Amino acid sequence: MQIRAGQLDRPEVIALLREHLQGMAELSPPESCHALDLDGLRHPDVSFWSAWDGDALLGCGALKRLDAQHGEIKSMRTADAHQRRGVAAALLEHILDEAARRGYRRLSLETGSMAGFEPARRLYARYGFEPCGPFACYRDDPNCVFMSKLL
């Protein structure tokens, strides 16, 4: 598995991100869906990575700078054909390493509270993320779970 920076112009990445946004829209009401679109992922405060096996796109993830000491995980998605192969764990480890390299003291995320998000919540908990209150511009929402980890 090779993790590459960027690649937002690749058709495979664009298709996976569309699938990600569609999946979020199917599971979450619009006011509770906080996934970034392509323009959001191109923002200067966001770093995006994609995981590949040769020419096959395995998944993606992003890190958003909230301030000098706090980052947020965004757009974590494993391609359906590659689930349960360690793709999300590899991307999460990459993001954790990058956050530490940047000197962040805290890394946070928002995910859904519905059953469809349970595998993601278990992954984050395995890596030491704990439930927390809303952060940045988020507000309390029964459809959202907020998690954070001190680095």
Side-chain angles (χ1 to χ4, degrees):
M1 178 183 323
Q2 182 183 39
I3 296 178
R4 303 176 191 160
Q7 310 289 310
L8 284 166
D9 57 338
R10 298 277 303 258
E12 306 96 315
V13 172
I14 293 168
L16 181 61
L17 289 169
R18 280 189 188 132
E19 182 182 307
H20 178 61
L21 290 172
Q22 181 180 351
M24 298 301 100
E26 289 171 2
L27 293 172
S28 303
E31 66 276 7
S32 301
C33 191
H34 304 287
L36 295 176
D37 61 12
L38 275 172
D39 287 339
L41 290 167
R42 288 187 174 113
H43 191 277
D45 285 340
V46 178
S47 299
F48 178 85
W49 295 275
S50 49
W52 300 82
D53 181 6
D55 289 333
L57 175 62
L58 307 177
C60 63
L63 175 60
K64 180 179 180 182
R65 180 187 189 278
L66 298 177
D67 63 41
Q69 296 185 343
H70 191 188
E72 179 184 5
I73 295 172
K74 299 294 290 181
S75 301
M76 288 284 290
R77 179 72 176 204
T78 300
D80 289 343
H82 302 287
Q83 290 186 358
R84 293 171 201 47
R85 292 183 39 202
V87 175
L91 282 162
L92 181 56
E93 288 172 12
H94 182 85
I95 291 169
L96 284 164
D97 289 346
E98 179 62 20
R101 188 190 70 71
R102 293 180 184 185
Y104 291 168
R105 298 194 57 185
R106 181 177 172 203
L107 194 56
S108 301
L109 63 96
E110 175 276 331
T111 190
S113 63
M114 297 70 123
F117 294 99
E118 179 60 29
R121 293 191 304 269
R122 280 195 315 263
L123 172 71
Y124 297 129
R126 229 176 22 248
Y127 278 85
F129 286 84
E130 297 180 348
C132 67
F135 59 92
C137 354
Y138 294 107
R139 295 174 187 231
D140 275 323
D141 182 334
N143 298 303
C144 297
V145 171
F146 304 100
M147 301 179 83
S148 192
K149 174 184 172 98
L150 295 177
L151 303 176

